[in-house]
Amino acid sequence: MELMNVELPTPDQFGIFQIKGLNATFFRFVAEDGHYLLEPHSFIATVSDPDKRQELMSQTMYDDLQRALDENVSFEN
């Protein structure tokens, strides 16, 4: 899984990243306890209907994305 367009979180904003091949989908994460933690409940799809932008993710999807985030994005203070 190749992460791309990674933007690190700030104190008042989520960090975001995309996965190669899913150009219209963004995953959010925060800095917590010395590492980055993926937003566990949903991801954002760029669709025209705002009510359909937020999608739920499965536990398997969460685990795979968190592992990719841990392996590919070094924590910065």
Side-chain angles (χ1 to χ4, degrees):
M1 182 178 307
E2 185 178 338
L3 304 186
M4 53 187 257
N5 300 326
V6 177
E7 294 182 21
L8 298 178
T10 64
D12 59 341
Q13 288 187 327
F14 284 102
I16 60 169
F17 66 90
Q18 293 176 285
I19 297 174
K20 188 173 184 176
L22 294 177
N23 295 338
T25 304
F26 295 86
F27 299 92
R28 301 184 304 192
F29 64 101
V30 296
E32 187 175 295
D33 297 328
H35 69 281
Y36 294 126
L37 185 61
L38 184 64
E39 167 64 35
H41 304 294
S42 62
F43 58 93
I44 305 300
T46 55
V47 296
S48 59
D49 183 348
D51 294 330
K52 295 181 180 179
R53 288 186 183 155
Q54 195 162 327
E55 300 282 339
L56 296 177
M57 83 173 69
S58 70
Q59 185 64 47
T60 301
M61 182 179 188
Y62 174 84
D63 292 342
D64 290 345
L65 289 168
Q66 183 63 57
R67 186 173 19 263
L69 184 62
D70 292 340
E71 292 172 356
N72 293 287
V73 182
S74 299
F75 184 76
E76 295 182 16
N77 286 334

